[in-house]
Amino acid sequence: AMVAAGSQLTFGSGPIADKHSIGGIPGNRTTMIVVPILAALGITIPKTSSRAITSPAGTADTMAMLAEVALPPGRLHEVVAATGACIAWGGALDLAPADDILITVERPMEIDTESQMVASILSKKKTAGATHTLIDIPVGPTAKVRTAADAERLAALFRAVADRIDLRVDVVLTEARGPIGWGIGPRLEALDVLAVLHCEPDAPVDLREKSLYLASRIIEMVGRAHPGGGYRLALDALEHGAALA
């Protein structure tokens, strides 16, 4: 119902990649590294992201430190046509607008239920034109998901709902012992992302390696590499400057 309620974007036959972390981990700005890596490899990934709901910054807040994120559909298609990717604020696109209304209720009450979260994430992926989506579920003592058993149950829900709406998903469980990167908040997180993309020696290793891992899973999911072969492609795109470009 949420998919049918608003606009839908299309970017051709695909594969059209997407990713999403369920959030709750400060500094987890992997999207801003994964997207340019995939774009450098010719994988189309029109990424729509949210602003902060229950954390100091969302991906859209951090990306806004570097570029305009409130892209209307026409401009978003221009960016994707030129670069193969984008990182835009989903709230400007009328994608699953019922979700945005629910989020405005959830934010001040600090509510983030699992069922609503799954509906929110997958409806946004489907309406953004994705055919293949990676879902990152951080698991740790202060994360939204605290145990492996809870994570597996949530992953099963993601897979079941995605199957019903004809969306291919790969769900990964990642260890989250604390914040990722050096800085928390939009500006500092943007500096961390740029340090990784510039391959600076003091760039946060945890942010770099998690981004490479997530990128590798998407590369393999869309068929650009055999299982186990995606990491080398992602690393080459990062180390040779293609992702930064």
Side-chain angles (χ1 to χ4, degrees):
M2 290 166 70
V3 169
S7 302
Q8 296 192 40
L9 303 176
T10 57
F11 297 94
S13 58
I16 308 299
D18 209 328
K19 70 159 287 286
H20 192 93
S21 170
I22 70 166
I25 304 299
N28 192 30
R29 293 287 76 83
T30 57
T31 289
M32 293 173 63
I33 300 165
V34 171
V35 168
I37 286 174
L38 297 180
L41 294 170
I43 298 170
T44 302
I45 178 163
K47 180 72 177 78
T48 61
S49 298
S50 64
R51 297 192 183 276
I53 300 174
T54 57
S55 61
T59 295
D61 300 309
T62 303
M63 186 65 187
M65 297 294 97
L66 306 177
E68 177 59 55
V69 294
L71 304 180
R75 176 60 180 147
L76 185 144
H77 276 95
E78 289 176 1
V79 172
V80 175
T83 67
C86 69
I87 301 174
W89 175 49
L93 296 166
D94 191 40
L95 303 177
D99 179 52
D100 296 318
I101 295 169
L102 290 166
I103 286 174
T104 63
V105 176
E106 290 178 317
R107 184 182 293 115
M109 299 197 299
E110 297 184 350
I111 294 173
D112 198 6
T113 67
E114 283 190 355
S115 54
Q116 167 58 17
M117 176 171 61
V118 171
S120 169
I121 292 169
L122 294 184
S123 65
K124 287 288 173 61
K125 302 301 112 181
K126 186 68 174 180
T127 56
T131 59
H132 295 66
T133 296
L134 180 74
I135 304 294
D136 168 30
I137 302 180
V139 183
T142 62
K144 289 180 181 179
V145 179
R146 306 290 172 90
T147 70
D150 287 342
E152 291 290 356
R153 179 175 48 79
L154 181 59
L157 182 58
F158 269 113
R159 295 187 187 104
V161 175
D163 185 60
R164 288 288 293 273
I165 62 172
D166 193 28
L167 179 65
R168 183 174 173 184
V169 298
D170 182 15
V171 183
V172 296
L173 312 184
T174 54
E175 186 178 23
R177 292 289 166 186
I180 295 175
W182 302 133
I184 304 301
R187 180 180 178 274
L188 298 179
E189 292 174 14
L191 292 174
D192 281 351
V193 166
L194 291 174
V196 172
L197 290 173
H198 280 278
C199 297
E200 295 177 4
D202 59 346
V205 174
D206 54 356
L207 179 62
R208 177 180 185 269
E209 288 306 312
K210 181 173 182 179
S211 300
L212 287 169
Y213 170 67
L214 297 179
S216 72
R217 293 288 292 250
I218 297 173
I219 292 166
E220 294 166 16
M221 180 168 55
V222 301
R224 289 295 302 276
H226 296 297
Y231 184 89
R232 171 50 59 183
L233 290 178
L235 184 63
D236 286 347
L238 181 63
E239 291 188 336
H240 294 161
L244 175 62

